Amino acid sequence: MEKFITLQSTIVPLPIEDIDTDQIIPARFLKATSREGFGNNLFRDWRYDENNQPKADFVLNKSNISGKILVAGKNFGCGSSREHAAWAIHDYGFKVVISSFFADIFKNNALNNGLIPVQVSQEFLNRIFEEASKNVGLEINVNLETQTITVVGVGISEKFEISEYKKTCLINGYDDIDYLLSLKEKIETYEKTSKYLKIVNE
Amino acid sequence: MGKTLFEKVWDAHVVSKIEGGPDVLYIDKHLIHEVTSPQAFTGLEKRGISLFRTQNTVATADHNVPTKNQHLPIAEPLSKFQVDKLTENCNKFGVTLYGLNHPFQGVVHVIGPELGITLPGMTIVCGDSHTSTHGAFGSIAFGIGTSEVEQVFATQCLMQTKPKTMKIEVNGKLNKGVLAKDIILYIISKISAAGGTGYFVEYCGSAISSLSMEARMTICNMSIEMGARGGMIAPDQTTFDYIKNKEFAPKGKKFDEAVEYWNDLYSDHDAKFDAVLSYDASDIEPMITYGTNPGMGIKITGKVPFVSEIKEESNRVSFKKSIDYMGLEEGETMLGKSVNYVFIGSCTNSRIEDLRIVAEFVKGKQKAPNINALIVPGSKQVQAQAKREGLDIILEAAGFELREPGCSACLGMNEDKVPKGEYCVSTSNRNFEGRQGPGARTFLASPLTAAAVAISGKISDVRTFNF
Ligand code: SF4
């Protein structure tokens, strides 16, 4: 996994709530068996019409808006557990998603792929959308080490939460499997002592 | 202080705790399917490792499979590729596969319970959010992403932060025409599609314990639709009777020993939940959703809300977008709306009990001429049972066709899709934009309501029929 320490970038605002993973990547694009290439179909049905022509009013199709930070409304990533949603966002080029609330599975999936979900207060989120509507070049700085998000040039910032463990993983570019593999003996001991396993296994 | 059911099962599975981080949780059963597993197998190959406990994983093909002519090769090349890839991976890694044409094949959350793979007190995961279904047996069951599938393959463990606990109690007697699906749609309409985020739910109360296992599965299945990681119900005699004699369930003395253990799986009277909600069963009526998330549900006799009734201002934009997509007006009555599609199926409502309810209702009636109805059993075993009971004949006489098992129009990955702009009353669990096909408009309801709609050709209150 790539390391992540800080990022400063322009943003892509998407002020819609309850964006589910079926919108992020519709089911009909889940037939690939590798992790790459999903970015092309990110927000497919919002981005393209039925003739595969870009819809001019969708934010990803606006030539003056781009960035490595996606900012979305409350309850982002709800619905299906498909990790393809996190892959699609990451593959498109985003490194951070900001929202006032994330669905649990999406949050885990994002973190497992080096995509940082930054949860901010509703007021802070509203303020970002407000500033972005006035200034398309608005930049945001995300500092994982100090767990701070700052709206550059506006002078507002907020702290965000992330588990110590995940933070260490992201800063160093480790993943969970590396860690779990190192616990093999502990896992075997657990298997020998679990009362439950004895009952359900022959 | 006592423990909740959730805590009892969780604590029994903690292998290790990480300071300031998640717990390492042992996983008893890992279910996989063709869509979310290929990248995890590739991951193993890249690391040059194999499955840590191959016997704890069971695979099936469900999401992509056709529901007609399953004995023929899959026509759609990408679907075929993905299903073939699953077979190839299972062969290579030695994983048990109930693939197409196997008598145990079916939707992953239907086959686990019916085969006795799902047992009380277990931890069960699957790369699919509706894994919460298995919680109906008093197990901790939840959906995971593909990176986590790889973790379980590699170590039989998962890193998980312990969620908060919520108790949802429903007491009293259910009204006529009200099924488990209505209970859960009612609860989600009360707490919203995000109201359970961060929680693991335990359902209890007299209305819940009076339900069959199949109905309990319908409730737990949709826990994820309120954002919860999962939902569970304490096992009781109903649970044990269901499990007894199932294919892979413990047998004889082993079964008795297991029941003894399972009997301790309940929330102690002094256990503390982080949130408690209580509802009265008599307040629940047949439900239907009008919007594009499962929290947007109303009583079938109700009206689409007015934008001005939406409390939070930030919600109003999404609300407006949603009813525009659905082609509905604020304040509109749902009853009488013409519908051309009905889908009875999915891991929410495709078990034998659901098919029996539908068959009994449509017996001696005819479907409306405008209705295209799809009835898709959850598994090969459900299909076979339906045939043994002659349900297929009743359904055919009423103008329906019983298909072969799979996820089908629940997510429209195979050819079973609802056309753009069309309304579909569906017994599945998600009414998201385009979920049943690009531009499709979904109304979620119970199998009984879906059957009533199929007969009348429009949204109807099942209570106005003779049944
Ligand atoms: S039936 Fe629908 S919800 Fe259930 S596993 Fe299949 S696609 Fe998912």
Side-chain angles (χ1 to χ4, degrees):
Chain A
M1 216 165 59
E2 284 165 61
K3 295 181 183 185
F4 186 105
I5 298 166
T6 62
L7 173 73
Q8 182 159 328
S9 165
T10 49
I11 65 167
V12 175
L14 196 54
I16 299 171
E17 300 195 339
D18 299 317
I19 296 179
D20 58 76
T21 52
D22 275 81
Q23 306 319 313
I24 300 172
I25 181 94
R28 60 186 192 282
F29 298 111
L30 305 186
K31 296 183 186 185
T33 53
S34 73
R35 289 176 192 239
E36 291 77 34
F38 289 102
N40 294 334
N41 294 314
L42 175 66
F43 295 117
R44 179 75 201 198
D45 294 336
W46 289 354
R47 203 163 137 201
Y48 297 100
D49 65 17
E50 51 275 34
N51 304 316
N52 294 324
Q53 292 308 307
K55 296 183 184 177
D57 57 347
F58 186 62
V59 66
L60 292 189
N61 295 326
K62 292 188 178 162
S63 57
N64 58 342
I65 295 180
S66 69
K68 293 197 171 88
I69 300 177
L70 178 66
V71 188
K74 188 168 76 189
N75 197 24
F76 184 81
C78 58
S80 138
S81 61
R82 60 187 70 155
E83 191 160 318
H84 312 67
W87 297 336
I89 296 171
H90 195 257
D91 190 59
Y92 185 87
F94 291 112
K95 302 272 181 258
V96 170
V97 187
I98 297 171
S99 177
S100 55
F101 205 84
F102 289 96
D104 284 337
I105 305 184
F106 177 81
K107 200 194 275 181
N108 279 345
N109 286 341
L111 287 167
N112 280 331
N113 287 281
L115 175 70
I116 321 292
V118 175
Q119 186 162 323
V120 297
S121 66
Q122 188 64 44
E123 298 75 61
F124 196 81
L125 184 73
N126 292 345
R127 187 70 193 277
I128 298 176
F129 285 138
E130 195 189 310
E131 294 295 334
S133 69
K134 290 186 278 188
N135 169 14
V136 286
L138 189 74
E139 287 195 12
I140 284 182
N141 183 294
V142 174
N143 186 325
L144 184 59
E145 221 145 28
T146 61
Q147 297 175 226
T148 355
I149 161 169
T150 310
V151 183
V152 180
V154 179
I156 55 165
S157 65
E158 201 173 86
K159 288 259 180 205
F160 62 88
E161 297 213 8
I162 185 158
S163 94
E164 269 311 308
Y165 167 79
K166 273 290 168 199
K167 182 171 159 181
T168 317
C169 285
L170 290 166
I171 288 176
N172 295 297
Y174 301 152
D175 70 17
D176 287 349
I177 300 184
D178 300 329
Y179 178 79
L180 284 173
L181 285 170
S182 74
L183 295 183
K184 215 163 177 173
E185 264 172 44
K186 260 194 165 162
I187 300 170
E188 282 166 352
T189 312
Y190 170 86
E191 287 179 322
K192 282 191 207 108
T193 51
S194 159
K195 187 175 157 206
Y196 187 70
L197 282 177
K198 242 180 245 124
I199 289 171
V200 293
N201 290 334
E202 255 14 88
Chain B
M1 198 179 58
K3 281 185 176 186
T4 63
L5 165 63
F6 174 80
E7 285 162 338
K8 286 181 184 177
V9 181
W10 181 280
D11 293 350
H13 287 86
V14 174
V15 171
S16 167
K17 283 183 177 293
I18 299 167
E19 200 65 41
D23 288 350
V24 176
L25 205 62
Y26 191 81
I27 302 302
D28 295 316
K29 274 294 169 221
H30 185 195
L31 307 170
I32 62 168
H33 61 81
E34 74 276 23
V35 179
T36 54
S37 66
Q39 294 85 353
F41 279 114
T42 313
L44 288 186
E45 277 175 339
K46 273 196 194 146
R47 290 174 201 264
I49 53 175
S50 198
L51 271 74
F52 181 63
R53 292 290 177 253
T54 316
Q55 73 278 12
N56 293 12
T57 301
V58 176
T60 192
D62 54 2
H63 281 65
N64 257 325
V65 302
T67 56
K68 267 183 175 173
N69 295 321
Q70 287 188 345
H71 59 288
L72 299 177
I74 301 176
E76 211 273 314
L78 286 174
S79 299
K80 182 173 188 313
F81 182 72
Q82 211 169 40
V83 172
D84 288 349
K85 191 85 194 164
L86 178 71
T87 311
E88 186 190 313
N89 280 328
C90 288
N91 288 339
K92 201 187 300 174
F93 288 91
V95 174
T96 305
L97 166 68
Y98 302 133
L100 266 193
N101 299 310
H102 190 286
F104 295 162
Q105 179 266 341
V107 178
V108 64
H109 311 308
V110 175
I111 69 168
E114 76 181 7
L115 289 171
I117 293 171
T118 302
L119 298 173
M122 274 186 166
T123 45
I124 302 175
V125 297
C126 173
D128 189 283
S129 54
H130 294 98
T131 308
S132 59
T133 314
H134 308 262
F137 291 78
S139 58
I140 290 185
F142 54 91
I144 55 177
T146 301
S147 296
E148 293 170 314
V149 170
E150 192 181 332
Q151 289 175 32
V152 181
F153 277 167
T155 65
Q156 207 55 43
C157 287
L158 261 187
M159 314 273 279
Q160 287 293 305
T161 308
K162 196 172 181 175
K164 292 180 283 183
T165 55
M166 179 188 283
K167 172 158 96 169
I168 299 184
E169 209 172 356
V170 187
N171 281 306
K173 210 173 147 312
L174 290 173
N175 292 316
K176 186 171 187 238
V178 172
L179 301 182
K181 183 63 162 286
D182 300 303
I183 303 179
I184 191 66
L185 285 174
Y186 171 90
I187 295 172
I188 304 169
S189 77
K190 293 282 176 196
I191 77 171
S192 92
T197 306
Y199 290 95
F200 217 95
V201 176
E202 179 181 343
Y203 303 95
C204 59
S206 59
I208 302 291
S209 49
S210 71
L211 297 174
S212 68
M213 283 319 292
E214 321 227 324
R216 293 181 191 184
M217 285 187 245
T218 301
I219 303 240
C220 290
N221 172 274
M222 289 193 71
S223 306
I224 183 74
E225 306 310 335
M226 52 177 127
R229 248 0 260 288
M232 62 202 304
I233 295 172
D236 58 12
Q237 199 54 45
T238 308
T239 321
F240 309 145
D241 291 345
Y242 178 97
I243 294 169
K244 198 164 190 172
N245 300 323
K246 290 275 185 284
E247 187 80 24
F248 299 113
K251 302 271 153 49
K253 195 170 148 279
K254 273 268 166 198
F255 181 79
D256 300 337
E257 265 174 50
V259 169
E260 206 177 300
Y261 182 92
W262 296 338
N263 264 322
D264 286 335
L265 299 176
Y266 55 83
S267 288
D268 297 327
H269 69 276
D270 55 345
K272 233 181 92 52
F273 289 86
D274 297 298
V276 178
L277 298 171
S278 271
Y279 300 104
D280 184 350
S282 64
D283 189 41
I284 308 176
E285 290 180 33
M287 297 284 295
I288 192 151
T289 63
Y290 61 89
T292 53
N293 76 54
M296 300 171 88
I298 47 174
K299 294 178 177 175
I300 192 131
T301 49
K303 291 185 166 83
V304 178
F306 288 93
V307 175
S308 56
E309 290 171 61
I310 306 298
K311 274 181 244 122
E312 273 179 71
E313 212 186 304
S314 63
N315 279 335
R316 290 189 190 152
V317 182
S318 308
F319 171 82
K320 193 77 185 71
K321 183 171 176 295
S322 175
I323 63 167
D324 282 351
Y325 177 85
M326 292 299 291
L328 295 172
E329 302 288 335
E330 307 175 45
E332 186 176 351
T333 306
M334 294 295 285
L335 280 180
K337 219 171 165 54
S338 176
V339 167
N340 293 334
Y341 287 79
V342 167
F343 172 61
I344 293 167
S346 91
C347 55
T348 316
N349 286 119
S350 65
R351 283 169 279 267
I352 189 68
E353 189 175 283
D354 301 308
L355 297 193
R356 285 184 192 135
I357 289 170
V358 173
E360 193 172 333
F361 185 86
V362 304
K363 192 172 185 171
K365 302 186 180 87
Q366 272 299 315
K367 78 168 178 72
N370 59 311
I371 289 288
N372 292 284
L374 253 182
I375 305 187
V376 183
S379 70
K380 276 274 192 243
Q381 294 210 83
V382 170
Q383 186 191 11
Q385 180 65 23
K387 286 193 173 161
R388 275 197 292 276
E389 296 179 17
L391 304 184
D392 54 333
I393 298 169
I394 298 174
L395 292 168
E396 267 159 39
F400 302 95
E401 182 193 359
L402 184 64
R403 293 289 188 93
E404 293 176 282
C407 293
S408 179
C410 173
L411 89 167
M413 270 190 91
N414 70 353
E415 40 287 288
D416 306 337
K417 292 185 178 66
V418 175
K420 180 168 190 227
E422 288 285 353
Y423 290 118
C424 177
V425 169
S426 176
T427 67
S428 56
N429 42 50
R430 287 193 172 135
N431 50 357
F432 299 153
E433 282 183 32
R435 171 79 178 180
Q436 298 195 286
R441 294 161 163 170
T442 305
F443 298 131
L444 301 176
S446 78
L448 205 46
T449 296
V453 172
I455 297 300
S456 61
K458 52 185 197 267
I459 294 185
S460 309
D461 184 346
V462 68
R463 293 167 299 184
T464 61
F465 287 75
N466 262 340
F467 70 101

